[in-house]
Amino acid sequence: MQRSELAHVLRASSAIAHETSFVLIGVQAAGSQKDADYVRVLLQHNLVNLDVLIERIGLLDAAKNNLTHITQWTQRRAQEATA
């Protein structure tokens, strides 16, 4: 993704979500161990709410994303965060 494309996505997300700041999780290799660690820490410290995260996953394009896989991956990180 080019910087201009990312800027467009953030502007559109801001308008849709009525938010002024975002935490970007992951990079080119989304789902990596580093991503898992990051999400786990966010959940442990209540910096992100699991229910909101699951809700936002549901807003992704199901034709381009395996929502079941992403949701299950996220739920596993939440379980690990409380272990």
Side-chain angles (χ1 to χ4, degrees):
M1 176 178 283
Q2 296 179 357
R3 185 180 176 96
S4 61
E5 294 170 322
L6 177 60
H8 174 74
V9 168
L10 292 174
R11 283 191 303 274
S13 300
S14 176
I16 292 167
H18 305 290
E19 296 287 343
T20 58
S21 62
F22 295 89
V23 175
L24 300 179
I25 300 174
V27 289
Q28 297 295 330
S32 70
Q33 183 59 46
K34 186 175 180 180
D35 294 334
D37 294 341
Y38 187 63
V39 171
R40 191 179 309 104
V41 169
L42 290 172
L43 290 164
Q44 283 174 335
H45 294 281
N46 297 313
L47 297 173
V48 65
N49 179 284
L50 178 61
D51 293 332
V52 172
L53 193 53
I54 298 294
E55 179 183 321
R56 302 272 167 88
I57 290 168
L59 299 175
L60 294 170
D61 184 349
K64 295 181 181 179
N65 300 283
N66 183 335
L67 302 187
T68 300
H69 174 77
I70 297 169
T71 300
Q72 290 172 346
W73 183 91
T74 304
Q75 290 170 331
R76 282 194 303 275
R77 303 300 77 84
Q79 290 172 347
E80 293 166 0
T82 60

